Amino acid sequence: KPSAAGCVAVGLKMGSKCIAIDLHDFQDEAGNKDITLTTQKGDKDYSGYKDNYLDAGADWDGKGNTEHLKQIGLNPAIKLGVGQWIPALGELKFIQLFRKEVNEALKYAGGDALDPVWYWSSTEYSATIAWNLDLSDGYALSYAKATYQTRVRPVSAFLL
């Protein structure tokens, strides 16, 4: 009988795109899963902002985006493991596209399903705003990253 013992993530692959999805959302010390993304606004001169949906939706650099968020003050409740990052909007859209299958794999592995709610991406719109994705319908909006609260699910590389 197959076993998921020791599993820390589930992999998702389509063509050349692949990603490993952690088994659980982050939560703060009080157990709240809806959390802010950062503790402060970012640098106005940062060149990585994606202020239009087409560029934001095509962003797959969650690892690089997360490094920038760490530099400006990532919420301390977001305790990333080695090699983990917050998915970029493109990565999050990929996960949302296969949410049903991902949730089946998460359940098998003993993880928590991705809820049909809003999730932070690491794709920043501006110094004060980052993109969110509603996993119920794929709708994307941008919100203030230091005050708006929603979910974060870490990801990592999925190598074959």
Side-chain angles (χ1 to χ4, degrees):
K1 180 177 178 181
S3 171
C7 182
V8 296
V10 298
L12 178 60
K13 180 182 185 323
M14 182 174 75
S16 65
K17 302 290 188 189
C18 54
I19 198 162
I21 305 151
D22 197 83
L23 300 180
H24 308 284
D25 292 338
F26 285 116
Q27 53 188 338
D28 66 16
E29 291 178 7
N32 300 312
K33 290 184 177 181
D34 290 329
I35 57 177
T36 61
L37 188 59
T38 63
T39 56
Q40 59 192 27
K41 66 180 184 175
D43 181 359
K44 291 181 180 178
D45 296 328
Y46 176 60
S47 63
Y49 296 133
K50 309 281 191 279
D51 63 0
N52 69 72
Y53 177 75
L54 289 178
D55 290 340
D59 183 15
W60 275 74
D61 189 17
K63 191 172 187 178
N65 297 343
T66 301
E67 288 305 313
H68 182 256
L69 291 170
K70 287 178 184 179
Q71 291 172 8
I72 64 168
L74 186 66
N75 182 337
I78 302 173
K79 297 176 185 356
L80 295 165
V82 175
Q84 286 187 324
W85 62 86
I86 300 163
L89 188 59
E91 293 167 321
L92 201 54
K93 287 173 61 174
F94 179 52
I95 293 167
Q96 189 273 333
L97 183 63
F98 293 99
R99 187 171 62 94
K100 180 179 177 184
E101 293 84 356
V102 167
N103 279 346
E104 289 172 7
L106 287 166
K107 181 179 176 183
Y108 176 79
D112 299 321
L114 291 160
D115 289 323
V117 297
W118 291 92
Y119 278 80
W120 282 114
S121 82
S122 60
T123 304
E124 294 176 88
Y125 180 97
S126 70
T128 57
I129 296 171
W131 288 92
N132 286 258
L133 188 73
D134 185 345
L135 292 191
S136 70
D137 59 12
Y139 192 68
L141 287 174
S142 50
Y143 289 104
K145 55 193 170 191
T147 57
Y148 189 74
Q149 296 182 339
T150 191
R151 308 276 177 99
V152 175
R153 178 71 62 120
V155 298
S156 56
F158 177 52
L159 305 174
L160 298 176

